[in-house]
Amino acid sequence: MTLGRLVRLSGAISLALFLVLAALSKGWLEPDGMLIFDSRLGGYSLAEAEIYRGMLDAGQKQLYLGWFRWLDTVFPVLLTICLSGILWGQARGVHPAMRLSLIVIPAAYLVMDLAENALVADMLRSAALDAESVALASGFTMAKWGFLALACAICLWAWRWAPKQRSRGGS
């Protein structure tokens, strides 16, 4: 499979998964319009986490810990493949060591998202929340969004402004 095809395929599946996750969030996991933990760009406090968790019924918790969590594990992996492929493919004129170092940003997004997912699952399963675990989960949520924004900005740079190697006729 070529890099371009891998980027398109992982991007298309990522988009489809994002839409499914958004539908699950909006339709079933946001009681009274309260955002799910994963969507809170600015993080959340212990009080906010307790209120949200208290509003979820058993079925919603099961959905969050089941299908939603599974999809929310596959989604960032595919999105990271897509973003990394864009960086690698669009910055062809940049030294390979620099391109490889840029891929650390989408990889950091992936680590933050997967760590956040594990911490949120622990929060949903635990009998009582503690300030330290909520702060840690909230920090990973904010870091995830920060690394994702940075990865998208670097992809834009790679697509728009990075030097490109031009193929020459016959070479």
Side-chain angles (χ1 to χ4, degrees), residues 43-91:
Y44 41 88
S45 67
L46 175 60
E48 291 169 323
E50 287 175 336
I51 291 168
Y52 175 74
R53 209 175 70 130
M55 295 185 79
L56 292 176
D57 64 32
Q60 289 169 312
K61 280 185 183 177
Q62 185 177 4
L63 175 62
Y64 208 143
L65 291 167
W67 278 106
F68 187 87
R69 181 162 186 229
W70 186 85
L71 293 171
D72 197 27
T73 299
V74 175
F75 166 73
V77 171
L78 290 173
L79 183 58
T80 298
I81 291 169
C82 179
L83 294 171
S84 298
I86 290 170
L87 286 173
W88 190 261
Q90 290 299 313

Side-chain angles (χ1 to χ4, degrees), residues 111-155:
V111 169
M112 297 300 121
D113 200 345
L114 295 178
E116 172 210 30
N117 291 348
L119 292 166
V120 165
D122 287 345
M123 288 181 357
L124 291 172
R125 285 188 192 109
S126 67
L129 297 177
D130 64 89
E132 187 177 319
S133 62
V134 171
L136 187 60
S138 177
F140 275 108
T141 299
M142 292 185 292
K144 166 190 80 171
W145 288 111
F147 279 115
L148 181 58
L150 184 56
C152 290
I154 292 170
C155 284

